[in-house]
Amino acid sequence: MRGNDKTQVEIDLKKIFLTPPNSRRERISLLIMMLITFLIFFGPICFSEISPVKAILLACMPAVSLSWGWMVLLRSLFRKSEFCK
């Protein structure tokens, strides 16, 4: 056998996307990523004439989606064995 044999595995996409963060490391990284992206998106909006509630909601939508996407990417890279079919 060669040293470069590759095996293909099927990843359960439903499980990797819908499983809530269950470890302390995942929760902390998700919270930090949400906070950073919220601040990035809220900064320009807060100086506009939009109401504060609408500005917060507008900044929350991309913050939540980007941070959850980052979590899924990290899971697929480092915890692939837990999410195989």
Side-chain angles (χ1 to χ4, degrees):
M1 285 201 284
R2 296 180 186 167
N4 294 3
D5 290 339
K6 294 183 180 180
T7 57
Q8 291 185 353
V9 293
E10 263 187 67
I11 294 179
D12 190 4
L13 291 178
K14 191 179 224 181
K15 186 177 179 183
I16 202 168
F17 274 95
L18 299 178
T19 303
N22 51 7
S23 68
R24 181 180 213 134
R25 178 179 275 169
E26 275 191 344
R27 289 180 189 144
I28 291 171
S29 62
L30 182 65
L31 183 65
I32 290 171
M33 190 65 187
M34 284 177 64
L35 181 64
I36 290 170
T37 53
F38 177 79
L39 292 174
I40 289 170
F41 285 104
F42 185 71
I45 295 174
C46 70
F47 296 113
S48 65
E49 295 181 15
I50 299 175
S51 70
V53 174
K54 190 173 182 179
I56 290 172
L57 290 175
L58 283 174
C60 280
M61 289 188 301
V64 169
S65 62
L66 283 174
S67 58
W68 191 254
W70 181 253
M71 182 62 57
V72 170
L73 175 70
L74 291 176
R75 283 178 175 177
S76 68
L77 292 176
F78 299 113
R79 294 178 49 202
K80 192 178 291 187
S81 62
E82 294 178 30
F83 297 102
C84 292
K85 283 186 178 181

